[in-house]
């Protein structure tokens, strides 16, 4: 399906508390015509699901695909053009235009795809599907609306229901890399704790017309990580200034958002990486840095493990240096910047100034490069 053949229907989920956001958001959708779907019971118990039920039924006549946006977001410049290109590349997929920067699974899957040089990341089949901006073919959008209809509004979280629907219906779901949508730093209507930001968002990305090209081999390589029969399924997490490995155990009943991870130095051998390999080169790098050793080591380790993992899904025939030609420096920097910003413990974040943060990003990217090269030579 070409971009010209895409006829896109757009609905914006809206709560009256955020009425000032609607005019600029509608304007930034142009030339797409966005319908505003207001919470049918704005004074009731907060429930995105209640509004999502209406939004997924608000499909414009003649549309091939339906996009639902939330009203607490910002869009990239040229949003409509990029979105048409995205959909034409994956016309049968569910497509998320955002992922949360410290989600236990999807944020890492997006970072891994970015460092491996791919413009789409297959997303988790158990973690909530990001719905700040989500696209489905119209037939599937109607099925989703039917699926949501009888779920009590008190369930609240539409994203938890969307991942269940897509999993049960066998719909492949990918996230765009970079994201086309970012979350505002505002409290959520439901009151979820924490700060909200995209995993990899470039305010003004420069993307060629063929940037969103489809690759069955890349999608298969990346997608193995989220399959239930994958024997070595894990993600890497920066949490409270520590680098952790999180084994993925679908079907065990473990809540996706549980707060337990394995410290990298104790368990990296399980993913085929020796502690000595991770540490190699770190001391020499730190001779030129004026950073807290403890924090820098965790960032370096996270970067190393990401690079060593991402190289396993590299493009066929890619050069053995990092980053791959398809990964721009700006994108790689965004990957690491959001990882550090979301993963530092508050006391550490408070004591680091802008220069320290920039130096930490450089340390993390040096770790990625070291892990990439090590993985390249051992793969």
């Amino acid at each position: 399906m070409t971009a010209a053949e895409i006829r896109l229907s757009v609905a914006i989920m809206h709560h009256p508390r955020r009425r000032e956001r609607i005019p600029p958001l509608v304007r930034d959708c142009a030339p797409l015509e966005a319908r505003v779907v207001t919470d049918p019971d704005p004074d009731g118990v907060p429930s995105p699901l209640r509004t999502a039920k209406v939004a997924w039924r608000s499909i414009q006549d003649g549309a091939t695909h339906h996009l639902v946006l939330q009203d607490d977001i910002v869009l990239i410049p040229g949003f409509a053009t990029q979105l048409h290109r995205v959909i034409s590349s994956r016309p049968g997929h569910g497509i998320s235009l955002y992922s949360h920067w410290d989600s236990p699974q999807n944020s890492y899957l997006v970072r891994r795809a970015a460092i491996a040089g791919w413009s789409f990341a297959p997303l988790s089949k158990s973690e909530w599907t990001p719905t700040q901006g989500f696209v489905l073919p119209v037939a599937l959008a109607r099925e989703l609306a039917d699926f949501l209809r009888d779920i009590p509004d008190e369930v609240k979280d539409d994203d938890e229901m969307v991942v269940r629907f897509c999993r049960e219906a066998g719909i492949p779901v990918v996230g765009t890399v970079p994201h086309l949508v970012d979350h505002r730093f505002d409290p959520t209507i439901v009151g979820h704790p924490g700060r909200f930001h995209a995993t990899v968002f470039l305010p003004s990305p420069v993307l060629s017309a063929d940037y969103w090209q489809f690759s069955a081999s890349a999608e298969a390589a990346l997608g193995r990580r989220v399959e239930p029969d994958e024997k070595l399924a894990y993600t890497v997490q920066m949490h409270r200034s520590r680098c952790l490995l999180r084994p993925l155990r679908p079907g065990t009943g473990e809540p996706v958002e549980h707060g337990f991870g394995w410290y990298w130095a104790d368990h990296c051998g399980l993913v085929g990486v020796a502690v000595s390999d991770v540490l190699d080169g770190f001391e020499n790098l730190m001779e030129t840095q004026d950073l807290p050793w403890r924090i820098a080591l965790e960032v370096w380790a996270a970067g190393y493990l990401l690079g060593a993992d991402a190289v396993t899904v590299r493009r066929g025939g890619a050069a053995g240096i990092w980053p791959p030609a398809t990964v721009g420096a700006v994108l790689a920097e965004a990957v690491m910047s959001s990882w550090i910003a979301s993963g530092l413990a508050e006391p550490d974040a408070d004591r680091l100034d802008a220069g320290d943060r920039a130096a930490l990003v450089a340390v993390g990217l040096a770790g990625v490069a070291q892990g990439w090269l090590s993985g390249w030579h051992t793969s």
Side-chain angles (χ1 to χ4, degrees), residues 108 111-112 115 236-238 243-244 264 278 295-311 322 335-336 339-340 360-373:
Y108 179 73
R111 290 187 174 99
R112 180 172 177 252
I115 296 303
V236 182
Q237 183 179 32
M238 279 291 297
C243 173
L244 304 174
W264 72 269
V278 178
I295 301 173
L297 176 58
E298 300 302 302
V299 171
W300 166 276
Y304 185 101
L305 292 169
L306 173 60
D309 191 11
V311 75
W322 186 87
V335 164
M336 188 57 62
W339 211 2
I340 292 170
L360 271 181
V361 170
V363 168
L365 292 177
V368 172
Q370 186 81 353
W372 179 278
L373 290 173

mmCIF file of all heavy atoms in Angstrom, residues 108 111-112 115 236-238 243-244 264 278 295-311 322 335-336 339-340 360-373:
data_model
loop_
_atom_site.group_PDB
_atom_site.id
_atom_site.type_symbol
_atom_site.label_atom_id
_atom_site.label_comp_id
_atom_site.label_asym_id
_atom_site.label_seq_id
_atom_site.Cartn_x
_atom_site.Cartn_y
_atom_site.Cartn_z
ATOM 1 N N TYR A 108 13.116 -0.643 26.318
ATOM 2 C CA TYR A 108 14.360 -1.304 25.916
ATOM 3 C C TYR A 108 14.253 -1.877 24.506
ATOM 4 O O TYR A 108 15.214 -1.798 23.721
ATOM 5 C CB TYR A 108 14.723 -2.420 26.887
ATOM 6 C CG TYR A 108 16.006 -3.123 26.474
ATOM 7 C CD1 TYR A 108 17.232 -2.489 26.633
ATOM 8 C CD2 TYR A 108 15.985 -4.385 25.895
ATOM 9 C CE1 TYR A 108 18.409 -3.103 26.226
ATOM 10 C CE2 TYR A 108 17.150 -5.008 25.504
ATOM 11 C CZ TYR A 108 18.371 -4.353 25.666
ATOM 12 O OH TYR A 108 19.533 -4.961 25.252
ATOM 13 N N ARG A 111 14.920 0.979 22.263
ATOM 14 C CA ARG A 111 16.339 1.369 22.261
ATOM 15 C C ARG A 111 17.174 0.346 21.480
ATOM 16 O O ARG A 111 18.090 0.698 20.741
ATOM 17 C CB ARG A 111 16.842 1.492 23.700
ATOM 18 C CG ARG A 111 16.267 2.692 24.437
ATOM 19 C CD ARG A 111 16.905 2.901 25.816
ATOM 20 N NE ARG A 111 16.388 4.145 26.386
ATOM 21 C CZ ARG A 111 15.411 4.224 27.285
ATOM 22 N NH1 ARG A 111 14.855 3.104 27.749
ATOM 23 N NH2 ARG A 111 14.994 5.390 27.727
ATOM 24 N N ARG A 112 16.878 -0.914 21.664
ATOM 25 C CA ARG A 112 17.609 -1.989 20.963
ATOM 26 C C ARG A 112 17.438 -1.861 19.457
ATOM 27 O O ARG A 112 18.398 -1.978 18.694
ATOM 28 C CB ARG A 112 17.096 -3.330 21.468
ATOM 29 C CG ARG A 112 17.732 -4.576 20.869
ATOM 30 C CD ARG A 112 17.213 -5.773 21.647
ATOM 31 N NE ARG A 112 17.696 -7.039 21.140
ATOM 32 C CZ ARG A 112 16.951 -7.914 20.473
ATOM 33 N NH1 ARG A 112 15.667 -7.638 20.222
ATOM 34 N NH2 ARG A 112 17.455 -9.058 20.057
ATOM 35 N N ILE A 115 19.487 1.254 18.175
ATOM 36 C CA ILE A 115 20.927 1.037 18.101
ATOM 37 C C ILE A 115 21.270 0.015 17.026
ATOM 38 O O ILE A 115 22.332 0.084 16.396
ATOM 39 C CB ILE A 115 21.471 0.611 19.477
ATOM 40 C CG1 ILE A 115 21.273 1.739 20.491
ATOM 41 C CG2 ILE A 115 22.941 0.236 19.395
ATOM 42 C CD1 ILE A 115 21.911 3.065 20.109
ATOM 43 N N VAL A 236 17.302 -4.812 29.406
ATOM 44 C CA VAL A 236 18.260 -4.127 30.270
ATOM 45 C C VAL A 236 17.575 -2.864 30.771
ATOM 46 O O VAL A 236 16.930 -2.152 29.992
ATOM 47 C CB VAL A 236 19.553 -3.777 29.523
ATOM 48 C CG1 VAL A 236 20.545 -3.104 30.469
ATOM 49 C CG2 VAL A 236 20.171 -5.027 28.895
ATOM 50 N N GLN A 237 17.725 -2.584 32.056
ATOM 51 C CA GLN A 237 17.022 -1.457 32.656
ATOM 52 C C GLN A 237 17.988 -0.603 33.467
ATOM 53 O O GLN A 237 18.875 -1.120 34.154
ATOM 54 C CB GLN A 237 15.910 -1.984 33.578
ATOM 55 C CG GLN A 237 15.047 -0.899 34.207
ATOM 56 C CD GLN A 237 13.953 -1.481 35.087
ATOM 57 O OE1 GLN A 237 14.139 -2.530 35.694
ATOM 58 N NE2 GLN A 237 12.822 -0.822 35.152
ATOM 59 N N MET A 238 17.828 0.712 33.361
ATOM 60 C CA MET A 238 18.461 1.644 34.287
ATOM 61 C C MET A 238 17.401 2.036 35.304
ATOM 62 O O MET A 238 16.389 2.632 34.950
ATOM 63 C CB MET A 238 18.968 2.878 33.552
ATOM 64 C CG MET A 238 20.301 2.711 32.859
ATOM 65 S SD MET A 238 21.687 2.547 34.039
ATOM 66 C CE MET A 238 21.630 4.137 34.859
ATOM 67 N N CYS A 243 22.200 -0.553 36.881
ATOM 68 C CA CYS A 243 21.933 -1.306 35.661
ATOM 69 C C CYS A 243 21.465 -2.702 36.047
ATOM 70 O O CYS A 243 22.160 -3.425 36.783
ATOM 71 C CB CYS A 243 23.195 -1.390 34.797
ATOM 72 S SG CYS A 243 23.026 -2.476 33.371
ATOM 73 N N LEU A 244 20.285 -3.056 35.556
ATOM 74 C CA LEU A 244 19.684 -4.337 35.900
ATOM 75 C C LEU A 244 19.326 -5.120 34.646
ATOM 76 O O LEU A 244 19.016 -4.541 33.603
ATOM 77 C CB LEU A 244 18.405 -4.114 36.722
ATOM 78 C CG LEU A 244 18.524 -3.284 37.996
ATOM 79 C CD1 LEU A 244 17.148 -3.055 38.592
ATOM 80 C CD2 LEU A 244 19.439 -3.957 39.012
ATOM 81 N N TRP A 264 23.453 -6.419 37.078
ATOM 82 C CA TRP A 264 24.148 -6.844 35.854
ATOM 83 C C TRP A 264 25.411 -7.652 36.139
ATOM 84 O O TRP A 264 25.672 -8.659 35.461
ATOM 85 C CB TRP A 264 24.480 -5.634 34.990
ATOM 86 C CG TRP A 264 25.590 -4.766 35.532
ATOM 87 C CD1 TRP A 264 25.468 -3.694 36.363
ATOM 88 C CD2 TRP A 264 26.989 -4.933 35.288
ATOM 89 N NE1 TRP A 264 26.695 -3.161 36.664
ATOM 90 C CE2 TRP A 264 27.661 -3.911 36.008
ATOM 91 C CE3 TRP A 264 27.753 -5.831 34.543
ATOM 92 C CZ2 TRP A 264 29.043 -3.761 35.998
ATOM 93 C CZ3 TRP A 264 29.134 -5.694 34.532
ATOM 94 C CH2 TRP A 264 29.770 -4.666 35.252
ATOM 95 N N VAL A 278 32.866 -6.403 30.142
ATOM 96 C CA VAL A 278 32.168 -5.142 30.367
ATOM 97 C C VAL A 278 33.115 -4.102 30.939
ATOM 98 O O VAL A 278 33.108 -2.931 30.534
ATOM 99 C CB VAL A 278 30.962 -5.339 31.311
ATOM 100 C CG1 VAL A 278 30.275 -4.004 31.583
ATOM 101 C CG2 VAL A 278 29.974 -6.345 30.733
ATOM 102 N N ILE A 295 28.092 5.972 39.432
ATOM 103 C CA ILE A 295 27.047 6.216 38.443
ATOM 104 C C ILE A 295 27.557 5.922 37.041
ATOM 105 O O ILE A 295 26.875 5.292 36.227
ATOM 106 C CB ILE A 295 26.544 7.664 38.543
ATOM 107 C CG1 ILE A 295 25.988 7.950 39.933
ATOM 108 C CG2 ILE A 295 25.478 7.936 37.489
ATOM 109 C CD1 ILE A 295 25.629 9.409 40.168
ATOM 110 N N ALA A 296 28.765 6.387 36.751
ATOM 111 C CA ALA A 296 29.323 6.203 35.405
ATOM 112 C C ALA A 296 29.450 4.726 35.055
ATOM 113 O O ALA A 296 29.188 4.321 33.911
ATOM 114 C CB ALA A 296 30.678 6.903 35.304
ATOM 115 N N LEU A 297 29.839 3.899 36.014
ATOM 116 C CA LEU A 297 29.979 2.467 35.738
ATOM 117 C C LEU A 297 28.644 1.846 35.370
ATOM 118 O O LEU A 297 28.573 1.013 34.450
ATOM 119 C CB LEU A 297 30.571 1.757 36.954
ATOM 120 C CG LEU A 297 30.692 0.224 36.825
ATOM 121 C CD1 LEU A 297 31.552 -0.155 35.631
ATOM 122 C CD2 LEU A 297 31.250 -0.375 38.113
ATOM 123 N N GLU A 298 27.574 2.229 36.064
ATOM 124 C CA GLU A 298 26.263 1.663 35.757
ATOM 125 C C GLU A 298 25.794 2.079 34.361
ATOM 126 O O GLU A 298 25.213 1.282 33.621
ATOM 127 C CB GLU A 298 25.248 2.092 36.814
ATOM 128 C CG GLU A 298 25.585 1.665 38.232
ATOM 129 C CD GLU A 298 25.746 0.162 38.368
ATOM 130 O OE1 GLU A 298 24.792 -0.564 38.046
ATOM 131 O OE2 GLU A 298 26.825 -0.276 38.801
ATOM 132 N N VAL A 299 26.037 3.333 33.999
ATOM 133 C CA VAL A 299 25.654 3.815 32.670
ATOM 134 C C VAL A 299 26.484 3.113 31.599
ATOM 135 O O VAL A 299 25.966 2.696 30.553
ATOM 136 C CB VAL A 299 25.817 5.347 32.593
ATOM 137 C CG1 VAL A 299 25.640 5.837 31.154
ATOM 138 C CG2 VAL A 299 24.808 6.036 33.510
ATOM 139 N N TRP A 300 27.781 2.983 31.836
ATOM 140 C CA TRP A 300 28.659 2.265 30.896
ATOM 141 C C TRP A 300 28.179 0.825 30.713
ATOM 142 O O TRP A 300 28.094 0.332 29.578
ATOM 143 C CB TRP A 300 30.091 2.288 31.417
ATOM 144 C CG TRP A 300 31.028 1.326 30.752
ATOM 145 C CD1 TRP A 300 31.199 -0.001 31.049
ATOM 146 C CD2 TRP A 300 31.925 1.605 29.667
ATOM 147 N NE1 TRP A 300 32.147 -0.570 30.226
ATOM 148 C CE2 TRP A 300 32.610 0.390 29.374
ATOM 149 C CE3 TRP A 300 32.223 2.739 28.933
ATOM 150 C CZ2 TRP A 300 33.577 0.317 28.378
ATOM 151 C CZ3 TRP A 300 33.195 2.659 27.937
ATOM 152 C CH2 TRP A 300 33.855 1.459 27.654
ATOM 153 N N ALA A 301 27.876 0.144 31.825
ATOM 154 C CA ALA A 301 27.446 -1.253 31.751
ATOM 155 C C ALA A 301 26.147 -1.382 30.963
ATOM 156 O O ALA A 301 25.988 -2.297 30.134
ATOM 157 C CB ALA A 301 27.282 -1.835 33.150
ATOM 158 N N ALA A 302 25.196 -0.478 31.212
ATOM 159 C CA ALA A 302 23.938 -0.519 30.468
ATOM 160 C C ALA A 302 24.196 -0.340 28.979
ATOM 161 O O ALA A 302 23.636 -1.060 28.138
ATOM 162 C CB ALA A 302 22.990 0.557 30.987
ATOM 163 N N GLY A 303 25.056 0.639 28.644
ATOM 164 C CA GLY A 303 25.381 0.850 27.242
ATOM 165 C C GLY A 303 26.062 -0.355 26.624
ATOM 166 O O GLY A 303 25.747 -0.762 25.495
ATOM 167 N N TYR A 304 27.006 -0.949 27.338
ATOM 168 C CA TYR A 304 27.709 -2.128 26.825
ATOM 169 C C TYR A 304 26.733 -3.261 26.526
ATOM 170 O O TYR A 304 26.769 -3.874 25.446
ATOM 171 C CB TYR A 304 28.757 -2.591 27.829
ATOM 172 C CG TYR A 304 29.616 -3.737 27.338
ATOM 173 C CD1 TYR A 304 30.892 -3.503 26.862
ATOM 174 C CD2 TYR A 304 29.143 -5.054 27.338
ATOM 175 C CE1 TYR A 304 31.689 -4.552 26.397
ATOM 176 C CE2 TYR A 304 29.913 -6.106 26.872
ATOM 177 C CZ TYR A 304 31.183 -5.846 26.402
ATOM 178 O OH TYR A 304 31.959 -6.876 25.926
ATOM 179 N N LEU A 305 25.868 -3.555 27.480
ATOM 180 C CA LEU A 305 24.917 -4.659 27.289
ATOM 181 C C LEU A 305 23.953 -4.368 26.147
ATOM 182 O O LEU A 305 23.580 -5.273 25.388
ATOM 183 C CB LEU A 305 24.155 -4.911 28.586
ATOM 184 C CG LEU A 305 24.993 -5.469 29.743
ATOM 185 C CD1 LEU A 305 24.215 -5.422 31.045
ATOM 186 C CD2 LEU A 305 25.457 -6.882 29.438
ATOM 187 N N LEU A 306 23.554 -3.113 25.992
ATOM 188 C CA LEU A 306 22.698 -2.746 24.868
ATOM 189 C C LEU A 306 23.414 -2.936 23.544
ATOM 190 O O LEU A 306 22.861 -3.502 22.596
ATOM 191 C CB LEU A 306 22.248 -1.289 25.022
ATOM 192 C CG LEU A 306 21.483 -0.671 23.846
ATOM 193 C CD1 LEU A 306 20.195 -1.447 23.559
ATOM 194 C CD2 LEU A 306 21.176 0.800 24.126
ATOM 195 N N GLY A 307 24.660 -2.471 23.452
ATOM 196 C CA GLY A 307 25.409 -2.621 22.209
ATOM 197 C C GLY A 307 25.655 -4.072 21.847
ATOM 198 O O GLY A 307 25.515 -4.479 20.686
ATOM 199 N N ALA A 308 26.028 -4.887 22.851
ATOM 200 C CA ALA A 308 26.288 -6.304 22.596
ATOM 201 C C ALA A 308 25.028 -7.034 22.163
ATOM 202 O O ALA A 308 25.087 -8.001 21.382
ATOM 203 C CB ALA A 308 26.876 -6.954 23.847
ATOM 204 N N ASP A 309 23.881 -6.584 22.665
ATOM 205 C CA ASP A 309 22.601 -7.186 22.288
ATOM 206 C C ASP A 309 22.171 -6.713 20.903
ATOM 207 O O ASP A 309 21.738 -7.507 20.051
ATOM 208 C CB ASP A 309 21.559 -6.810 23.336
ATOM 209 C CG ASP A 309 20.258 -7.580 23.201
ATOM 210 O OD1 ASP A 309 20.199 -8.550 22.430
ATOM 211 O OD2 ASP A 309 19.285 -7.206 23.878
ATOM 212 N N ALA A 310 22.284 -5.425 20.649
ATOM 213 C CA ALA A 310 21.811 -4.862 19.381
ATOM 214 C C ALA A 310 22.586 -5.378 18.183
ATOM 215 O O ALA A 310 22.023 -5.523 17.091
ATOM 216 C CB ALA A 310 21.883 -3.334 19.427
ATOM 217 N N VAL A 311 23.863 -5.683 18.364
ATOM 218 C CA VAL A 311 24.659 -6.134 17.222
ATOM 219 C C VAL A 311 24.156 -7.467 16.680
ATOM 220 O O VAL A 311 24.375 -7.803 15.516
ATOM 221 C CB VAL A 311 26.158 -6.226 17.605
ATOM 222 C CG1 VAL A 311 26.427 -7.442 18.462
ATOM 223 C CG2 VAL A 311 27.041 -6.236 16.354
ATOM 224 N N TRP A 322 30.683 0.639 15.150
ATOM 225 C CA TRP A 322 29.461 1.213 15.698
ATOM 226 C C TRP A 322 29.577 2.722 15.635
ATOM 227 O O TRP A 322 30.646 3.275 15.852
ATOM 228 C CB TRP A 322 29.267 0.787 17.155
ATOM 229 C CG TRP A 322 27.952 1.260 17.673
ATOM 230 C CD1 TRP A 322 26.760 0.626 17.568
ATOM 231 C CD2 TRP A 322 27.699 2.495 18.317
ATOM 232 N NE1 TRP A 322 25.758 1.389 18.108
ATOM 233 C CE2 TRP A 322 26.328 2.554 18.577
ATOM 234 C CE3 TRP A 322 28.488 3.579 18.690
ATOM 235 C CZ2 TRP A 322 25.722 3.631 19.201
ATOM 236 C CZ3 TRP A 322 27.899 4.652 19.309
ATOM 237 C CH2 TRP A 322 26.531 4.675 19.557
ATOM 238 N N VAL A 335 18.545 8.156 22.476
ATOM 239 C CA VAL A 335 18.361 6.870 23.150
ATOM 240 C C VAL A 335 19.001 6.891 24.534
ATOM 241 O O VAL A 335 18.391 6.525 25.546
ATOM 242 C CB VAL A 335 18.965 5.732 22.295
ATOM 243 C CG1 VAL A 335 19.154 4.464 23.129
ATOM 244 C CG2 VAL A 335 18.094 5.444 21.093
ATOM 245 N N MET A 336 20.262 7.326 24.584
ATOM 246 C CA MET A 336 20.992 7.301 25.846
ATOM 247 C C MET A 336 20.537 8.404 26.792
ATOM 248 O O MET A 336 20.456 8.200 28.011
ATOM 249 C CB MET A 336 22.494 7.424 25.571
ATOM 250 C CG MET A 336 23.373 7.212 26.783
ATOM 251 S SD MET A 336 23.131 5.605 27.620
ATOM 252 C CE MET A 336 23.593 4.473 26.307
ATOM 253 N N TRP A 339 17.404 7.395 28.551
ATOM 254 C CA TRP A 339 17.677 6.276 29.455
ATOM 255 C C TRP A 339 18.255 6.787 30.771
ATOM 256 O O TRP A 339 17.842 6.392 31.863
ATOM 257 C CB TRP A 339 18.657 5.306 28.792
ATOM 258 C CG TRP A 339 18.467 3.876 29.200
ATOM 259 C CD1 TRP A 339 17.520 3.367 30.033
ATOM 260 C CD2 TRP A 339 19.254 2.766 28.764
ATOM 261 N NE1 TRP A 339 17.662 1.999 30.144
ATOM 262 C CE2 TRP A 339 18.711 1.609 29.370
ATOM 263 C CE3 TRP A 339 20.350 2.631 27.914
ATOM 264 C CZ2 TRP A 339 19.240 0.338 29.166
ATOM 265 C CZ3 TRP A 339 20.872 1.372 27.703
ATOM 266 C CH2 TRP A 339 20.329 0.227 28.319
ATOM 267 N N ILE A 340 19.206 7.698 30.665
ATOM 268 C CA ILE A 340 19.833 8.246 31.860
ATOM 269 C C ILE A 340 18.842 9.116 32.634
ATOM 270 O O ILE A 340 18.722 9.012 33.863
ATOM 271 C CB ILE A 340 21.088 9.046 31.467
ATOM 272 C CG1 ILE A 340 22.161 8.090 30.932
ATOM 273 C CG2 ILE A 340 21.612 9.856 32.652
ATOM 274 C CD1 ILE A 340 23.338 8.782 30.294
ATOM 275 N N LEU A 360 27.843 11.932 31.001
ATOM 276 C CA LEU A 360 27.293 10.590 31.224
ATOM 277 C C LEU A 360 26.764 9.990 29.931
ATOM 278 O O LEU A 360 26.921 8.792 29.681
ATOM 279 C CB LEU A 360 26.175 10.635 32.263
ATOM 280 C CG LEU A 360 26.545 10.469 33.730
ATOM 281 C CD1 LEU A 360 25.296 10.515 34.595
ATOM 282 C CD2 LEU A 360 27.298 9.157 33.964
ATOM 283 N N VAL A 361 26.102 10.814 29.107
ATOM 284 C CA VAL A 361 25.625 10.322 27.813
ATOM 285 C C VAL A 361 26.806 9.829 26.978
ATOM 286 O O VAL A 361 26.740 8.762 26.349
ATOM 287 C CB VAL A 361 24.843 11.427 27.070
ATOM 288 C CG1 VAL A 361 24.568 11.008 25.623
ATOM 289 C CG2 VAL A 361 23.529 11.725 27.785
ATOM 290 N N ALA A 362 27.901 10.582 26.985
ATOM 291 C CA ALA A 362 29.084 10.167 26.232
ATOM 292 C C ALA A 362 29.644 8.856 26.766
ATOM 293 O O ALA A 362 30.070 7.983 25.988
ATOM 294 C CB ALA A 362 30.148 11.273 26.288
ATOM 295 N N VAL A 363 29.647 8.692 28.082
ATOM 296 C CA VAL A 363 30.106 7.429 28.686
ATOM 297 C C VAL A 363 29.213 6.276 28.247
ATOM 298 O O VAL A 363 29.686 5.197 27.871
ATOM 299 C CB VAL A 363 30.133 7.550 30.218
ATOM 300 C CG1 VAL A 363 30.305 6.179 30.870
ATOM 301 C CG2 VAL A 363 31.254 8.478 30.657
ATOM 302 N N GLY A 364 27.907 6.500 28.292
ATOM 303 C CA GLY A 364 26.982 5.446 27.889
ATOM 304 C C GLY A 364 27.157 5.050 26.430
ATOM 305 O O GLY A 364 27.141 3.857 26.100
ATOM 306 N N LEU A 365 27.341 6.030 25.555
ATOM 307 C CA LEU A 365 27.519 5.730 24.138
ATOM 308 C C LEU A 365 28.860 5.049 23.876
ATOM 309 O O LEU A 365 28.969 4.198 22.984
ATOM 310 C CB LEU A 365 27.403 7.012 23.317
ATOM 311 C CG LEU A 365 26.000 7.629 23.282
ATOM 312 C CD1 LEU A 365 26.006 8.935 22.506
ATOM 313 C CD2 LEU A 365 24.983 6.656 22.682
ATOM 314 N N ALA A 366 29.877 5.406 24.661
ATOM 315 C CA ALA A 366 31.150 4.689 24.542
ATOM 316 C C ALA A 366 30.969 3.231 24.956
ATOM 317 O O ALA A 366 31.554 2.314 24.355
ATOM 318 C CB ALA A 366 32.209 5.365 25.409
ATOM 319 N N GLY A 367 30.139 2.997 25.982
ATOM 320 C CA GLY A 367 29.841 1.625 26.369
ATOM 321 C C GLY A 367 29.109 0.868 25.279
ATOM 322 O O GLY A 367 29.390 -0.308 25.022
ATOM 323 N N VAL A 368 28.161 1.545 24.619
ATOM 324 C CA VAL A 368 27.447 0.915 23.504
ATOM 325 C C VAL A 368 28.435 0.502 22.421
ATOM 326 O O VAL A 368 28.379 -0.619 21.882
ATOM 327 C CB VAL A 368 26.384 1.867 22.923
ATOM 328 C CG1 VAL A 368 25.785 1.277 21.648
ATOM 329 C CG2 VAL A 368 25.272 2.122 23.936
ATOM 330 N N ALA A 369 29.335 1.404 22.073
ATOM 331 C CA ALA A 369 30.321 1.104 21.028
ATOM 332 C C ALA A 369 31.198 -0.080 21.412
ATOM 333 O O ALA A 369 31.488 -0.957 20.582
ATOM 334 C CB ALA A 369 31.181 2.347 20.767
ATOM 335 N N GLN A 370 31.629 -0.112 22.682
ATOM 336 C CA GLN A 370 32.460 -1.222 23.142
ATOM 337 C C GLN A 370 31.682 -2.533 23.094
ATOM 338 O O GLN A 370 32.206 -3.566 22.663
ATOM 339 C CB GLN A 370 32.931 -0.939 24.568
ATOM 340 C CG GLN A 370 33.913 -1.953 25.117
ATOM 341 C CD GLN A 370 35.337 -1.699 24.648
ATOM 342 O OE1 GLN A 370 35.573 -0.838 23.795
ATOM 343 N NE2 GLN A 370 36.274 -2.452 25.178
ATOM 344 N N GLY A 371 30.434 -2.516 23.540
ATOM 345 C CA GLY A 371 29.625 -3.725 23.500
ATOM 346 C C GLY A 371 29.346 -4.183 22.085
ATOM 347 O O GLY A 371 29.343 -5.389 21.779
ATOM 348 N N TRP A 372 29.095 -3.220 21.185
ATOM 349 C CA TRP A 372 28.856 -3.548 19.779
ATOM 350 C C TRP A 372 30.060 -4.262 19.173
ATOM 351 O O TRP A 372 29.927 -5.302 18.530
ATOM 352 C CB TRP A 372 28.546 -2.258 19.017
ATOM 353 C CG TRP A 372 28.301 -2.454 17.558
ATOM 354 C CD1 TRP A 372 29.247 -2.569 16.568
ATOM 355 C CD2 TRP A 372 27.039 -2.574 16.906
ATOM 356 N NE1 TRP A 372 28.664 -2.748 15.345
ATOM 357 C CE2 TRP A 372 27.307 -2.748 15.521
ATOM 358 C CE3 TRP A 372 25.729 -2.541 17.344
ATOM 359 C CZ2 TRP A 372 26.277 -2.893 14.589
ATOM 360 C CZ3 TRP A 372 24.709 -2.668 16.405
ATOM 361 C CH2 TRP A 372 24.996 -2.848 15.055
ATOM 362 N N LEU A 373 31.258 -3.690 19.391
ATOM 363 C CA LEU A 373 32.470 -4.268 18.813
ATOM 364 C C LEU A 373 32.758 -5.643 19.402
ATOM 365 O O LEU A 373 33.127 -6.577 18.685
ATOM 366 C CB LEU A 373 33.657 -3.342 19.031
ATOM 367 C CG LEU A 373 33.624 -2.040 18.225
ATOM 368 C CD1 LEU A 373 34.762 -1.132 18.648
ATOM 369 C CD2 LEU A 373 33.699 -2.316 16.734
#
